[in-house]
Amino acid sequence: MKEEWRRQAGQMCIRLSAVLLALMATAISASPEVMTNHWFVQLKEDLGPEAAITVAKRTGFSYIAPVLGSKNEFHFAHKFVAPSRNRRSILHTRKLKTDPLVHTAVQQAGFVRSKRGYTPMKQVSLTRGTSDKQIRGAPIIKPGKEHLNDAKSHDLPNDPLYAKEWYINNTGQAGGIAKLDLHVEAAWALGFTGKNVTTAIMDDGVDYMHPDIYDNFNAGASYDFSSNDPFPYPRYTDDWFNSHGTRCAGEIVAKRDNKICGVGVAYDSKIAGLRMLDQPYMTDLIEANSMGHKPDEIHIYSASWGPTDDGKTVDGPRGATMRSIVKGVNEGRHGKGSIYVWASGDGGPDDDCNCDGYAASMWTISINSATNDGQTAGYDESCSSTLASTFSNGKSGYQDAGVATTDLYGQCTTRHSGTSAAAPEAAGVFALALEANPELSWRDMQHLTVLTSKRNHLYDPRGEHNWTINGAGLEFNHLFGYGVLDAGDIVDLARGWKTVPDRYHCTAGTVEGKYEFSTDKPVILKIDTDACEGQDNQVNFMEHVQSFISLKATRRGDVTIYLTSPM
């Protein structure tokens, strides 16, 4: 088994993730606490939703839903409590706790979750249509125009914005470098277009009436967690603030050859809309239920949001949300594991996506972005947890250099950008891989990502993050991960891929005691481990490392922590 696995996958990469519990708690508590009108309620026994509904009625609450399908954990709300307030509502909590069926009742704190890459629009997006003039001169692909990654002209989509989708086929448009793209046409040429795969867009809603999305919308797997109904349609605003989810959706599933907008990376796949970002404050229960929604119907969860990108926020998933993610990778997709795709963040070089507990999680695939000429975008954050990159926008100053995709109310845009745009592209590539091999586990997808991503022309113009060879002989970069995703190669490798061996967890060791450090003398702590050799949980191939660290410092930001492999 060892040798067969070694031949198939080579030496495994080490993905290092430092979980800084003490810093996380400090960051969360640093801001004034905001309380919502939502409660987590745990019953004393597994009495099911009927008992929870009874408790809600006699205590004056509204029953929302079970938490992660539980029979004794539920989500309640109270319509006469303000959606956001500075103090806990002790009387309402006490009323729940005094009910004979209730074991625990906790009012939910509210916190901010920000969309990646949102910029207020100054004008209405492009109008959809079938002629060149209607789409700002975007040509419909004519016979005889060869694309540079070996697709034949008669195989090219007739969608009017396709020529501007340089992230699918970069011919040098908008100042880009030819062939620096996701190599998607190669996957299409092999016959893979995302069939029988559903990706959930966890965002501010999806315009599922858009003619480029409608046929690929999975209504049965969709839900509105902001309004608690089955219709995740975006809430109207004058500035189109809630266009974010619709733009992300189009990147994945925009229909091919209907002469509307462009075409999605996995244009025969489905998307589910999970509206969960559009309320005054996020809660742990909304996040948890979104990430655990219909885990056997939804294959991929795409998230283009996270903690505030202000360079000083250290935050991540709370208790129920963490349970939801862990349950998803262990039980989702009938045991093969849900695939969580996360945008690395848009805080720029003064921020660090290691401080984002979603992107830095070992359970997610963290995706950063590159421009169409291979540079890092000015808003990109660096961190060790980024696994790969896709594309967000082209060179500044070029018309239509953004990502072309669907927009609200049946319209189109070429202005989508940020790592918001990068994560859905990756989700589309992963949908192609899942069609090629539906048996892939969440760990298989991480391995395929690492083994097929390419350095290509990616580089950091600031010169701060260079490419390095790791112990497995693979190039990596703290901005771009292992490189740009290659849809053709990931599909080709996925077709014959044998799933990785069972996963084992080994506690390598601990370092205890009190250590003092100063500005000029670092503290170096080492752990030598035999990887549980000879035991049932012996680790033969390294996939993830987590370090749980507790420390005290007089001022946040004065301490830098490095987790370094001997290799």
Side-chain angles (χ1 to χ4, degrees), residues 113-120 166-167 182 199-206 240-252 265 277 301-307 309 341-348 356 359 365-370 377 379-381 388-393 402-406 413 415-428:
R113 290 292 175 260
S114 302
K115 304 171 189 178
R116 303 300 196 202
Y118 170 74
T119 303
W166 49 263
Y167 56 96
L182 296 174
T199 299
I201 304 297
M202 300 189 296
D203 215 289
D204 56 14
V206 172
W240 286 24
F241 178 71
N242 291 322
S243 62
H244 196 254
T246 301
R247 294 179 175 190
C248 293
E251 291 180 84
I252 302 172
V265 171
L277 275 185
Y301 296 79
S302 179
S304 293
W305 50 268
D309 285 322
V341 183
W342 224 276
S344 289
D346 291 343
D356 179 338
I365 299 179
S366 177
I367 299 294
N368 211 347
S369 65
Y379 44 74
D380 283 343
E381 302 176 31
S389 296
T390 56
F391 299 98
S392 55
N393 56 266
V403 168
T405 182
T406 52
T413 183
R415 296 184 179 183
H416 192 33
S417 66
T419 53
S420 276
E425 292 169 18

Coordinates of all heavy atoms in Angstrom, one line a residue, residues 113-120 166-167 182 199-206 240-252 265 277 301-307 309 341-348 356 359 365-370 377 379-381 388-393 402-406 413 415-428:
R113 N -19.2 40.0 8.7 CA -18.5 39.2 7.6 C -18.6 40.0 6.4 O -19.7 40.5 6.0 CB -19.2 37.8 7.5 CG -19.0 36.9 8.6 CD -17.5 36.5 8.7 NE -17.2 35.6 9.9 CZ -16.6 36.1 11.0 NH1 -16.4 37.4 11.1 NH2 -16.4 35.3 12.0
S114 N -17.5 40.2 5.7 CA -17.4 41.1 4.6 C -17.2 40.3 3.2 O -16.5 39.3 3.2 CB -16.2 42.0 4.7 OG -16.3 42.8 5.9
K115 N -17.9 40.8 2.2 CA -17.7 40.3 0.9 C -16.3 40.6 0.4 O -15.8 41.7 0.6 CB -18.7 40.9 -0.1 CG -20.2 40.7 0.4 CD -21.2 41.4 -0.5 CE -22.6 41.4 0.1 NZ -23.5 42.2 -0.7
R116 N -15.7 39.7 -0.3 CA -14.4 39.9 -0.9 C -14.5 40.7 -2.2 O -15.2 40.3 -3.1 CB -13.6 38.6 -1.1 CG -13.5 37.7 0.1 CD -12.7 38.3 1.2 NE -12.3 37.3 2.1 CZ -11.9 37.6 3.4 NH1 -12.0 38.8 3.8 NH2 -11.5 36.6 4.2
G117 N -13.8 41.8 -2.2 CA -13.6 42.5 -3.5 C -14.8 43.3 -4.0 O -14.9 43.7 -5.1
Y118 N -15.7 43.6 -3.0 CA -16.9 44.5 -3.4 C -16.5 45.9 -3.6 O -15.8 46.5 -2.7 CB -18.0 44.4 -2.5 CG -19.1 45.4 -2.8 CD1 -20.0 45.2 -3.9 CD2 -19.2 46.6 -2.1 CE1 -20.9 46.1 -4.2 CE2 -20.2 47.5 -2.4 CZ -21.0 47.3 -3.5 OH -21.9 48.3 -3.8
T119 N -16.8 46.5 -4.7 CA -16.6 47.9 -5.0 C -17.9 48.5 -5.5 O -18.5 48.0 -6.4 CB -15.5 48.2 -6.1 OG1 -14.3 47.5 -5.7 CG2 -15.3 49.7 -6.3
P120 N -18.4 49.6 -4.8 CA -19.7 50.2 -5.3 C -19.7 50.5 -6.7 O -18.7 51.1 -7.3 CB -19.8 51.5 -4.4 CG -19.0 51.2 -3.2 CD -17.8 50.3 -3.7
W166 N -10.9 36.1 -20.4 CA -9.5 35.8 -20.5 C -9.1 34.8 -19.5 O -8.1 34.1 -19.7 CB -8.7 37.0 -20.4 CG -9.0 37.9 -19.3 CD1 -9.8 39.0 -19.3 CD2 -8.6 37.7 -17.9 NE1 -10.0 39.5 -18.0 CE2 -9.2 38.8 -17.2 CE3 -7.7 36.8 -17.3 CZ2 -9.0 38.9 -15.8 CZ3 -7.5 37.0 -15.9 CH2 -8.1 38.0 -15.2
Y167 N -9.8 34.6 -18.4 CA -9.5 33.6 -17.4 C -9.8 32.2 -17.8 O -9.2 31.3 -17.3 CB -10.2 33.9 -16.0 CG -11.7 34.0 -16.1 CD1 -12.5 32.9 -15.8 CD2 -12.3 35.2 -16.5 CE1 -13.9 32.9 -15.9 CE2 -13.7 35.2 -16.6 CZ -14.5 34.1 -16.3 OH -15.9 34.2 -16.3
L182 N -6.9 29.3 -17.0 CA -7.3 28.1 -16.3 C -7.2 26.8 -17.1 O -7.6 25.7 -16.6 CB -8.7 28.2 -15.6 CG -8.8 29.3 -14.6 CD1 -10.2 29.5 -14.2 CD2 -7.9 29.1 -13.4
T199 N -22.8 23.2 -6.9 CA -22.0 24.1 -6.1 C -22.9 25.1 -5.4 O -23.8 25.8 -6.1 CB -21.0 24.9 -6.9 OG1 -20.1 24.0 -7.6 CG2 -20.2 25.8 -6.1
A200 N -22.8 25.3 -4.1 CA -23.6 26.2 -3.3 C -22.8 27.6 -3.3 O -21.6 27.6 -3.0 CB -23.8 25.8 -1.9
I201 N -23.5 28.6 -3.7 CA -23.0 30.0 -3.6 C -23.5 30.6 -2.2 O -24.6 31.0 -2.1 CB -23.4 30.9 -4.7 CG1 -23.1 30.2 -6.1 CG2 -22.8 32.3 -4.6 CD1 -21.6 30.1 -6.3
M202 N -22.6 30.6 -1.2 CA -22.9 31.1 0.1 C -22.7 32.6 0.0 O -21.5 33.0 0.1 CB -22.1 30.4 1.2 CG -22.3 28.9 1.3 SD -21.6 28.2 2.7 CE -19.8 28.6 2.4
D203 N -23.7 33.4 -0.1 CA -23.5 34.8 -0.4 C -24.7 35.7 -0.1 O -25.5 35.3 0.8 CB -23.1 35.0 -1.9 CG -22.0 36.1 -2.1 OD1 -22.4 37.3 -2.0 OD2 -20.9 35.8 -2.4
D204 N -24.9 36.8 -0.9 CA -26.0 37.7 -0.6 C -27.2 37.4 -1.5 O -28.1 38.2 -1.6 CB -25.5 39.1 -0.9 CG -25.0 39.4 -2.3 OD1 -25.1 38.5 -3.1 OD2 -24.3 40.4 -2.5
G205 N -27.3 36.2 -2.0 CA -28.4 35.8 -2.9 C -27.9 35.5 -4.3 O -26.8 35.9 -4.7
V206 N -28.8 34.9 -5.1 CA -28.5 34.6 -6.5 C -29.7 35.0 -7.3 O -30.9 34.6 -7.0 CB -28.1 33.2 -6.8 CG1 -28.0 32.9 -8.3 CG2 -26.8 32.8 -6.1
W240 N -26.8 48.3 -6.2 CA -26.6 47.0 -6.6 C -25.6 46.3 -5.7 O -24.8 45.4 -6.1 CB -26.1 46.9 -8.1 CG -27.2 47.1 -9.1 CD1 -28.4 47.8 -8.9 CD2 -27.2 46.7 -10.4 NE1 -29.1 47.8 -10.0 CE2 -28.4 47.1 -11.0 CE3 -26.4 45.9 -11.2 CZ2 -28.8 46.9 -12.3 CZ3 -26.7 45.6 -12.5 CH2 -27.9 46.1 -13.1
F241 N -25.6 46.6 -4.5 CA -24.7 46.1 -3.5 C -24.8 44.5 -3.4 O -23.8 43.8 -3.2 CB -25.0 46.7 -2.1 CG -24.1 46.1 -1.0 CD1 -22.8 46.4 -0.9 CD2 -24.6 45.3 0.0 CE1 -22.0 45.9 0.1 CE2 -23.9 44.8 1.0 CZ -22.5 45.1 1.1
N242 N -26.0 44.0 -3.6 CA -26.3 42.6 -3.5 C -26.1 41.9 -4.9 O -26.8 40.9 -5.2 CB -27.6 42.3 -2.9 CG -27.6 42.7 -1.4 OD1 -26.7 42.5 -0.7 ND2 -28.7 43.3 -1.0
S243 N -25.2 42.3 -5.7 CA -25.0 41.7 -7.0 C -23.9 40.6 -6.9 O -23.6 39.8 -7.8 CB -24.5 42.7 -8.0 OG -23.3 43.3 -7.6
H244 N -23.2 40.6 -5.7 CA -22.0 39.8 -5.5 C -22.3 38.3 -5.8 O -21.5 37.6 -6.5 CB -21.6 40.0 -4.0 CG -20.2 39.5 -3.7 ND1 -20.0 38.4 -3.0 CD2 -19.0 40.1 -4.0 CE1 -18.7 38.2 -2.8 NE2 -18.1 39.3 -3.4
G245 N -23.3 37.7 -5.2 CA -23.6 36.3 -5.4 C -23.9 35.9 -6.8 O -23.5 34.8 -7.3
T246 N -24.7 36.7 -7.5 CA -25.1 36.5 -8.8 C -23.8 36.5 -9.8 O -23.7 35.7 -10.7 CB -26.1 37.5 -9.3 OG1 -27.2 37.5 -8.5 CG2 -26.5 37.3 -10.8
R247 N -22.9 37.4 -9.5 CA -21.7 37.4 -10.3 C -20.9 36.2 -10.1 O -20.3 35.6 -11.0 CB -20.9 38.7 -9.9 CG -21.6 40.0 -10.3 CD -20.7 41.2 -9.9 NE -21.3 42.4 -10.4 CZ -20.7 43.6 -10.3 NH1 -19.5 43.7 -9.8 NH2 -21.3 44.7 -10.8
C248 N -20.8 35.7 -8.8 CA -20.0 34.5 -8.5 C -20.7 33.3 -9.2 O -20.0 32.4 -9.7 CB -19.9 34.3 -7.0 SG -18.9 35.5 -6.2
A249 N -22.0 33.2 -9.2 CA -22.7 32.1 -9.8 C -22.4 32.0 -11.2 O -22.2 30.9 -11.8 CB -24.2 32.2 -9.5
G250 N -22.5 33.1 -12.0 CA -22.3 33.1 -13.4 C -20.9 32.6 -13.8 O -20.8 31.9 -14.9
E251 N -19.9 32.8 -13.0 CA -18.6 32.3 -13.3 C -18.6 30.8 -13.4 O -17.8 30.2 -14.1 CB -17.6 32.7 -12.3 CG -17.3 34.2 -12.2 CD -16.3 34.5 -11.2 OE1 -15.1 34.4 -11.4 OE2 -16.7 34.9 -10.0
I252 N -19.4 30.1 -12.7 CA -19.5 28.7 -12.6 C -20.4 28.1 -13.6 O -20.1 27.2 -14.4 CB -19.9 28.2 -11.2 CG1 -18.9 28.7 -10.2 CG2 -19.9 26.7 -11.2 CD1 -19.3 28.5 -8.7
V265 N -17.4 28.2 -16.2 CA -16.3 27.2 -16.2 C -16.8 25.8 -16.3 O -16.3 25.0 -17.0 CB -15.4 27.4 -15.0 CG1 -14.4 26.3 -14.9 CG2 -14.6 28.8 -15.0
L277 N -25.6 36.2 3.8 CA -24.7 37.4 4.1 C -25.5 38.7 4.3 O -25.0 39.6 4.9 CB -23.7 37.7 3.0 CG -22.4 36.9 2.9 CD1 -21.6 37.5 1.8 CD2 -21.7 37.0 4.2
Y301 N -19.0 24.0 -1.7 CA -19.5 25.2 -1.1 C -18.5 26.3 -1.4 O -17.3 26.2 -1.0 CB -19.7 25.1 0.4 CG -20.7 24.0 0.9 CD1 -20.4 22.7 0.9 CD2 -22.0 24.5 1.3 CE1 -21.4 21.7 1.3 CE2 -23.0 23.5 1.7 CZ -22.7 22.2 1.7 OH -23.6 21.3 2.0
S302 N -18.9 27.3 -2.1 CA -18.0 28.4 -2.5 C -18.3 29.7 -1.6 O -19.5 30.1 -1.6 CB -18.2 28.7 -4.0 OG -17.4 29.8 -4.4
A303 N -17.3 30.2 -1.0 CA -17.4 31.3 -0.1 C -16.5 32.4 -0.5 O -15.2 32.2 -0.5 CB -17.2 30.9 1.4
S304 N -17.0 33.6 -0.9 CA -16.2 34.7 -1.3 C -16.3 35.8 -0.2 O -16.7 37.0 -0.5 CB -16.6 35.2 -2.7 OG -16.2 34.3 -3.6
W305 N -16.1 35.5 1.0 CA -16.3 36.4 2.1 C -15.5 35.9 3.3 O -14.9 34.8 3.3 CB -17.8 36.6 2.5 CG -18.5 35.2 2.7 CD1 -19.2 34.5 1.8 CD2 -18.6 34.5 4.0 NE1 -19.7 33.4 2.4 CE2 -19.3 33.3 3.7 CE3 -18.1 34.7 5.3 CZ2 -19.6 32.3 4.7 CZ3 -18.3 33.7 6.2 CH2 -19.1 32.6 5.9
G306 N -15.5 36.7 4.4 CA -14.7 36.4 5.6 C -14.7 37.5 6.5 O -15.4 38.5 6.4
P307 N -13.8 37.4 7.5 CA -13.6 38.5 8.5 C -13.2 39.8 7.8 O -12.6 39.7 6.7 CB -12.5 38.0 9.4 CG -12.6 36.5 9.3 CD -13.0 36.3 7.9
D309 N -11.3 42.7 6.1 CA -9.9 42.8 5.6 C -9.3 44.2 6.0 O -9.0 45.0 5.1 CB -10.0 42.7 4.1 CG -10.2 41.3 3.6 OD1 -9.7 40.4 4.2 OD2 -10.9 41.1 2.6
V341 N -14.5 25.8 -0.6 CA -13.6 26.7 -1.4 C -13.7 28.1 -0.8 O -14.8 28.6 -0.7 CB -13.9 26.7 -2.9 CG1 -12.9 27.5 -3.6 CG2 -14.0 25.3 -3.4
W342 N -12.6 28.6 -0.4 CA -12.6 29.9 0.3 C -11.7 31.0 -0.4 O -10.5 30.7 -0.8 CB -12.1 29.8 1.7 CG -13.0 30.5 2.6 CD1 -13.0 31.9 2.9 CD2 -14.2 30.0 3.3 NE1 -14.0 32.2 3.8 CE2 -14.8 31.1 4.0 CE3 -14.8 28.8 3.3 CZ2 -15.9 31.0 4.7 CZ3 -16.0 28.6 4.1 CH2 -16.5 29.7 4.8
A343 N -12.2 32.2 -0.5 CA -11.4 33.3 -1.0 C -10.4 33.7 0.0 O -10.8 33.9 1.2 CB -12.3 34.5 -1.4
S344 N -9.1 33.9 -0.3 CA -8.1 34.1 0.6 C -8.2 35.5 1.3 O -7.8 35.7 2.5 CB -6.7 34.0 0.0 OG -6.4 32.7 -0.3
G345 N -8.7 36.5 0.6 CA -8.9 37.8 1.2 C -8.4 38.9 0.4 O -7.5 38.7 -0.4
D346 N -8.9 40.1 0.6 CA -8.5 41.3 -0.2 C -7.9 42.4 0.7 O -8.1 43.6 0.3 CB -9.8 41.8 -0.9 CG -10.2 40.9 -2.0 OD1 -9.5 40.0 -2.4 OD2 -11.4 41.0 -2.4
G347 N -7.2 42.1 1.7 CA -6.6 43.1 2.6 C -5.3 43.7 2.1 O -4.8 44.6 2.8
G348 N -4.7 43.1 1.1 CA -3.5 43.7 0.6 C -2.3 43.2 1.4 O -2.4 42.4 2.3
D356 N -7.2 34.8 9.1 CA -8.6 34.4 8.7 C -8.8 32.9 9.0 O -8.2 32.1 8.3 CB -8.8 34.7 7.2 CG -10.1 34.4 6.7 OD1 -10.8 33.5 7.3 OD2 -10.5 34.9 5.6
A359 N -10.1 30.8 5.8 CA -9.1 30.5 4.7 C -8.0 29.6 5.2 O -7.4 28.8 4.5 CB -8.6 31.8 4.1
I365 N -10.2 24.7 1.0 CA -9.2 25.0 0.0 C -9.2 26.5 -0.3 O -10.1 27.1 -0.8 CB -9.5 24.2 -1.3 CG1 -9.6 22.7 -1.1 CG2 -8.6 24.6 -2.4 CD1 -9.9 21.9 -2.3
S366 N -8.1 27.1 0.2 CA -8.0 28.6 0.1 C -7.4 29.0 -1.2 O -6.3 28.5 -1.6 CB -7.1 29.0 1.3 OG -6.9 30.4 1.2
I367 N -8.1 29.9 -1.9 CA -7.7 30.4 -3.2 C -7.4 31.8 -3.3 O -8.2 32.7 -2.9 CB -8.9 30.1 -4.2 CG1 -9.2 28.6 -4.3 CG2 -8.5 30.6 -5.6 CD1 -8.1 27.7 -4.8
N368 N -6.2 32.2 -3.8 CA -5.9 33.6 -4.0 C -6.0 33.9 -5.5 O -6.4 33.1 -6.3 CB -4.4 33.8 -3.5 CG -4.2 35.2 -3.0 OD1 -5.0 36.1 -3.2 ND2 -3.1 35.5 -2.4
S369 N -5.7 35.1 -5.9 CA -5.9 35.5 -7.2 C -4.6 36.1 -7.9 O -3.7 36.5 -7.2 CB -7.0 36.6 -7.3 OG -6.5 37.8 -6.6
A370 N -4.7 36.1 -9.2 CA -3.6 36.7 -10.0 C -4.2 37.5 -11.1 O -5.4 37.3 -11.4 CB -2.7 35.6 -10.6
A377 N -2.4 40.7 -7.5 CA -3.2 41.9 -7.5 C -2.9 42.7 -6.2 O -2.4 42.2 -5.2 CB -4.7 41.5 -7.4
Y379 N -4.6 43.9 -4.0 CA -5.3 43.6 -2.8 C -5.0 42.2 -2.2 O -5.6 41.8 -1.2 CB -6.8 43.7 -3.0 CG -7.3 43.1 -4.3 CD1 -7.3 41.7 -4.5 CD2 -7.6 43.9 -5.4 CE1 -7.7 41.2 -5.7 CE2 -7.9 43.3 -6.6 CZ -8.0 42.0 -6.8 OH -8.4 41.4 -8.0
D380 N -4.2 41.4 -2.9 CA -3.9 40.0 -2.4 C -3.2 40.0 -1.1 O -2.2 40.8 -0.9 CB -3.1 39.3 -3.5 CG -3.9 38.9 -4.7 OD1 -5.1 38.8 -4.6 OD2 -3.3 38.5 -5.7
E381 N -3.6 39.1 -0.2 CA -2.9 38.8 1.0 C -2.0 37.6 0.8 O -2.3 36.7 0.0 CB -3.9 38.6 2.1 CG -4.9 39.7 2.4 CD -5.9 39.3 3.5 OE1 -5.6 38.5 4.4 OE2 -7.1 39.8 3.4
A388 N -3.8 27.4 -3.8 CA -3.6 27.6 -5.3 C -4.2 29.0 -5.6 O -4.8 29.7 -4.8 CB -4.3 26.5 -6.1
S389 N -4.1 29.4 -6.9 CA -4.6 30.7 -7.4 C -5.5 30.5 -8.6 O -5.3 29.5 -9.4 CB -3.5 31.6 -7.7 OG -2.8 31.9 -6.5
T390 N -6.4 31.4 -8.8 CA -7.0 31.5 -10.1 C -6.9 33.0 -10.5 O -5.8 33.6 -10.3 CB -8.5 31.1 -10.1 OG1 -9.2 31.9 -9.0 CG2 -8.6 29.6 -9.8
F391 N -7.9 33.6 -11.1 CA -7.7 35.0 -11.6 C -8.8 35.9 -11.1 O -10.0 35.5 -10.9 CB -7.7 35.0 -13.2 CG -6.6 34.2 -13.7 CD1 -6.8 32.9 -14.1 CD2 -5.3 34.7 -13.8 CE1 -5.7 32.1 -14.6 CE2 -4.2 33.9 -14.3 CZ -4.4 32.6 -14.7
S392 N -8.5 37.2 -11.0 CA -9.5 38.2 -10.5 C -9.7 39.3 -11.4 O -10.8 39.7 -11.7 CB -9.1 38.7 -9.1 OG -7.7 39.2 -9.2
N393 N -8.6 39.9 -11.9 CA -8.8 41.0 -12.9 C -7.5 41.2 -13.7 O -6.5 40.7 -13.3 CB -9.2 42.3 -12.2 CG -8.2 42.8 -11.1 OD1 -8.4 42.5 -9.9 ND2 -7.1 43.4 -11.5
G402 N -11.7 43.3 -16.0 CA -12.3 42.5 -14.9 C -12.8 41.2 -15.4 O -12.6 40.8 -16.6
V403 N -13.4 40.4 -14.5 CA -13.9 39.1 -14.8 C -15.3 39.3 -15.4 O -16.2 40.0 -14.8 CB -14.0 38.2 -13.6 CG1 -14.8 37.0 -13.8 CG2 -12.6 37.9 -13.1
A404 N -15.6 38.8 -16.6 CA -16.8 38.8 -17.3 C -17.8 37.8 -16.7 O -17.4 36.6 -16.7 CB -16.7 38.7 -18.8
T405 N -19.0 38.2 -16.3 CA -19.9 37.2 -15.7 C -21.3 37.8 -15.7 O -21.6 38.9 -16.3 CB -19.5 36.8 -14.3 OG1 -20.4 35.9 -13.8 CG2 -19.4 38.1 -13.4
T406 N -22.2 37.1 -15.2 CA -23.6 37.5 -15.1 C -23.8 38.6 -14.0 O -23.0 38.7 -13.1 CB -24.5 36.4 -14.7 OG1 -24.0 35.7 -13.5 CG2 -24.6 35.4 -15.8
T413 N -21.7 41.8 -16.8 CA -20.7 42.8 -16.4 C -19.3 42.2 -16.8 O -19.1 41.0 -16.9 CB -20.7 43.0 -14.9 OG1 -19.7 44.0 -14.5 CG2 -20.4 41.8 -14.1
R415 N -16.8 43.7 -14.8 CA -16.1 44.4 -13.8 C -16.0 43.6 -12.5 O -15.6 44.2 -11.4 CB -16.8 45.7 -13.5 CG -16.8 46.6 -14.7 CD -17.5 48.0 -14.3 NE -17.4 48.9 -15.5 CZ -17.8 50.1 -15.4 NH1 -18.4 50.6 -14.3 NH2 -17.8 50.9 -16.5
H416 N -16.3 42.4 -12.5 CA -16.2 41.6 -11.2 C -14.7 41.4 -10.9 O -13.9 41.2 -11.9 CB -16.9 40.2 -11.4 CG -17.1 39.4 -10.2 ND1 -17.3 40.0 -9.0 CD2 -17.0 38.1 -10.0 CE1 -17.4 39.0 -8.1 NE2 -17.3 37.9 -8.6
S417 N -14.3 41.4 -9.7 CA -12.9 41.3 -9.4 C -12.7 40.9 -7.9 O -13.7 40.5 -7.2 CB -12.2 42.7 -9.6 OG -12.7 43.7 -8.7
G418 N -11.5 40.9 -7.5 CA -11.1 40.5 -6.1 C -11.0 39.0 -6.0 O -11.3 38.3 -6.9
T419 N -10.6 38.5 -4.8 CA -10.6 37.1 -4.6 C -12.0 36.5 -4.6 O -12.2 35.3 -4.6 CB -9.8 36.7 -3.3 OG1 -10.4 37.4 -2.2 CG2 -8.3 37.0 -3.5
S420 N -13.0 37.4 -4.5 CA -14.4 37.0 -4.7 C -14.6 36.3 -6.1 O -15.3 35.4 -6.2 CB -15.3 38.2 -4.7 OG -15.7 38.6 -3.4
A421 N -13.9 36.9 -7.1 CA -14.0 36.3 -8.4 C -13.1 35.0 -8.5 O -13.4 34.1 -9.3 CB -13.5 37.3 -9.5
A422 N -12.1 34.9 -7.8 CA -11.1 33.8 -7.9 C -11.7 32.5 -7.3 O -11.6 31.4 -7.9 CB -9.8 34.1 -7.1
A423 N -12.4 32.6 -6.2 CA -12.9 31.4 -5.5 C -13.9 30.6 -6.4 O -13.9 29.4 -6.5 CB -13.5 31.7 -4.2
P424 N -14.9 31.3 -7.0 CA -15.9 30.6 -7.9 C -15.2 29.9 -9.1 O -15.7 28.9 -9.5 CB -16.9 31.7 -8.3 CG -16.8 32.7 -7.3 CD -15.3 32.7 -6.8
E425 N -14.2 30.6 -9.6 CA -13.5 29.9 -10.7 C -12.9 28.6 -10.3 O -13.0 27.6 -11.0 CB -12.4 30.8 -11.2 CG -12.9 32.1 -11.9 CD -11.7 33.1 -12.2 OE1 -10.6 32.7 -12.1 OE2 -12.0 34.3 -12.4
A426 N -12.3 28.6 -9.1 CA -11.8 27.3 -8.6 C -12.9 26.3 -8.3 O -12.7 25.1 -8.7 CB -11.0 27.6 -7.2
A427 N -14.0 26.8 -7.8 CA -15.2 25.9 -7.6 C -15.6 25.2 -8.9 O -15.9 24.0 -9.0 CB -16.3 26.6 -6.9
G428 N -15.6 26.0 -10.0 CA -15.9 25.5 -11.3 C -14.9 24.4 -11.8 O -15.3 23.4 -12.3

